[in-house]
Amino acid sequence: MAKEKTDVLHGSLALMVLRTLDTLGPQHGWGIARRIEQISGDALELNQGTLYPALLRLQQMGWITSKWGASDNNRRAKFYAITRTGKKQLAAETENWERISGILARFARQPGESS
Amino acid sequence: MTRLRVLLSRLSGLLRMGSLERNLDEEFHFHLQLEIDQNLRKGMTAAEARTAALRRFGGIAQIKETYRETHGLPVIQVLGQDVRFGFRMLRRSPGFSLLVILCLMLGIGANAAVFSWIEGILLRPFPLVAHQGRMMAVAGTNRAVPGHDDVSSPDFADFQKSCTLFDAFIVDRITGTTLSVGDRAQRATASVVSANYFDSLGVRPILGRGFEPAEDHGRNAHPVTVISYQLWMERFKGDPEIVGKSQMLNGMPHTIIGVAPEGFYGTFVGWAMQFWVPASMQELFDPGGYKLEDRGARWIEGFVRLKPGVSPERAQAEISAVAKRLEDAYPATNRGRGIQLYPLWRTPFNNAGTLFPTLGIALVVVVFVLLIVCANVSNLLLVKAFGRRHEITVRLALGAGRGRLLKQLLTEGLILTAFAAAGGLLAANWCRNLFVLLLPARGGVAMKLPGDLDWRVLALSAGICLVSTLLFGLFPAIATSNIDLASSLKAEAGGVVGGRRRGLVRSSLVVVQVALSFVLLVGAGLLFQSLRAVQNTDPGFSTHGVLTSSIDFVAAGYSAQRARNFEDELIDRLQAVAGVSSAAFTRVAPFSYRSYSSAPIAVDGYVTAPDEQPTVDYNEVGPAYFATMGIPIVSGREFRRADNETAPPVAVVNEAMAVQYWRGQDPAGRRLQVKGGWLRVVGVAKMSKYRNLMEAARPFFYVPIRQSVSGSILQIRTPLGPETMAKALVREIHALDPSLAPGEIITMQENVDRTTAVQRVAVAMLGVFGGLALVLAAIGLYGVMSYTVSQSKRELGLRMALGAGASDLLRLVMSHGMALTAGGLVVGAAAALGLTRLLGTLLYKVSPRDPLAFAVALVVMTMAGLAACFLPAWRATRTDPVRALRN
């Protein structure tokens, strides 16, 4: 199955969401957004809202599921959880990401040829 | 997998669009609340906390829109919008929409009707029969004689035994009998079939049973019959106890063993069978004696069904190999004999083969009509699009994508096509059985040629609709969406006659229409000339003043001797009727649907080539036959009543036979061997036509009816009309036997005309559609010219102001219109020169490049062009220069 072409940010957002859900277990949207901001040390300028279409896309792929439930303060909230195929995808994306970043790192360390 | 899952969840999302909004609101609200709470904890004021949260979240409306697009299927949602918008646009100009829909309906309906004919008559001609795709027709071949022949019973059995690639071998020989006897005899068509007939075809009788294997054998040993649903209903009033009852057929009581299901008409393209008898009854239903054990007696017309996956070529190779073995094993009967398999649509022994060229031409014609319609609609839409330029420009300026616009314009086209398709299919369904009306009844039995509007026809029609939408919709859509914004938003510039690029598209569409119409007109002209040539051909016998009728002695149970006595007495009585100059019985009337006898011959002194087995057709005719028919005897004499059973056997040969076998010497007095017996030639008859007007001259001979089988066709030479004669004939017959009645009585002219039906159908079809095409092309030309004139008001006004007279303007516009017409004529003539060859076998004594047909088409097309241009040109001369220039 051909993977959809996505820009780097798109792909990395999926990776971040999947990793978050894999580490923390089921989370609502705000929880995921907070976690991503914390891990990135608030260095990532991300409109929190854009998270939601991404979550929908991940659901359509079958990598996460969503369920309405009660939050800590007992309000109705939608919780997202990672699925088995989601975990497989996470492993694949992580490996892919490491390979790409490895390659990019080698390029970054290369001494400049102009000097 | 993943993609399918996404599609499914999007499709289900499409259905839950309503709840989506509420859920999304709630989820976003919850998110914002948590963010606000956190901001408050950081020490912000309520207002600050809220603003910060909203800023952090981003534009809610945009995110929702992205979410919605991801959630459902935008393609479908956009399509829904386009369809709704399209409907609004069409409703806004109902007259225009109706015109377009009517045009398309004509094109689509004509195509669907012809598809249904081809499907129902050629491709799947046998309703209720299973696996027709694997069925093929079987016929014999004779190396010495071109065309097809029948197959003998022993050969057929050997093929069945030796071939491995076939599921079934089915015998199916058309026959008939006379059922009701009153004042007018009623013919019923029937088939002699092999016992496996119903089982192999997958047709299960609704009452009783089909045939059993034993019923294939024994000389007239199994007088049983399966009757058709129609016969059961009409003759037996649907009697539920019919099975086991007896029915007289050809003078022998037959037990009715079954009733075929409704809608099963047998396996003969052209006629609905009324009953079926097993092969063992061959002798009773197929004249010429007992043939089941005679390898030289060829009578079987049949079908085979190939095993799944077997190609026709492999099947042909196998059966030909077996035929070759039989040729070696039985040289006396099989020398030079082979087998040919035909696809059902080219079956030589029923009407499929006859109608194949006509339906092929019909197909080409309706495709042409469809193309013309598309060109016409395309032009209409271009005019329309021009009127919508303002709307389109505004939409483009507001940021609508060109792709989106293109999609929307094509959707509008599809809506038009959908309406037209619905109407066209309804019309086609109504025309489904119209084809048969173009063909006359033969032998007193109406033909049955039902069209079939099955899923294949519907699918093909849907395909045609899509393709034509693209054809007619694409030009206008591209032209419209390519509007140059800058110049369009500026004041509208006036047009010039013959200028502008878009004018080029419109003009080429007109040229195409004129060209296609021209081709159709040339085709119609050629076929018409051909038909006239056919009709002017001298058949070699009198067509006026000769009537033909029939008396079915076999069905009435007459013995041969009784029939002969009756014939002699009837001839004597008829000759006493005022106005009758002579009358004669014969077995076959020329140009009738019955086939002549055919036999291998030998002639003293004529040496045959090693693999030649001379076979000649002949007819059994009564005394005074030649005088009655008006066929001159060039030497010797014709048959007399004295040429009977006890007299020495004699024959009359035709001129071609005299030339071929006696090298032009007078054969009178010479001997001719037929089927092992010797005949003495007593006369030579002038050449005449035997089956149709177009056949080439060929050897033929006649034997006295008394020295052969009995005849049942009556030829009468009289100036009386058929109605008057019919009364006299019934009176004379009843005087001899009140229980007998003649079949239909017609003139020989009528009999001859029936054989030219196919040509007349082709002429009618091309004439009608050629005329329609002409009208459409004229409308197209008129549309383009009036549009050009209305767009060039300013130029025309200017010319007038500068002193151009009405005649100058008339000439200006007319010359532009006629230039278009001339362009179309040139293209059309080139196309016609290449295409008319396809008329091939339907053309008789007319060259496909006949100058007269081309000239007539040229004149007609030019006249139509002049007429179409005149009104716009006249309107141009009425231009008011002051108003035109001021506007």
Side-chain angles (χ1 to χ4, degrees), chain B residues 102 104-121 366 370 419-437 449-454 456-462 464-465 769:
Chain B
L102 279 178
L104 285 172
M105 224 173 95
L106 176 73
I108 294 170
N111 272 275
V114 171
F115 290 160
S116 83
W117 295 343
I118 289 178
E119 174 81 354
I121 297 171
V366 291
L370 186 69
F419 274 110
L425 285 177
L426 271 180
N429 192 36
W430 184 72
C431 295
R432 203 158 42 104
N433 298 330
L434 212 62
F435 190 69
V436 73
L437 297 185
L449 291 167
D452 191 0
L453 221 59
D454 60 7
R456 291 180 195 85
V457 172
L458 291 179
L460 195 57
S461 305
I464 285 277
C465 288
F769 283 117

Side-chain angles (χ1 to χ4, degrees), chain B residues 371-372 374-376 378-379 382 475 500-516 780-781 784 816 819-821 823-825 827:
Chain B
L371 287 177
I372 295 172
C374 283
N376 217 349
S378 200
N379 246 337
L382 269 174
F475 261 141
R500 301 184 68 87
R501 217 197 96 243
R502 195 166 309 120
L504 189 68
V505 175
R506 297 173 51 78
S507 303
S508 4
L509 286 173
V510 167
V511 167
V512 167
Q513 288 185 62
V514 171
L516 291 172
L781 186 59
V784 168
H816 179 53
L820 287 182
T821 314
L825 288 178
V827 176

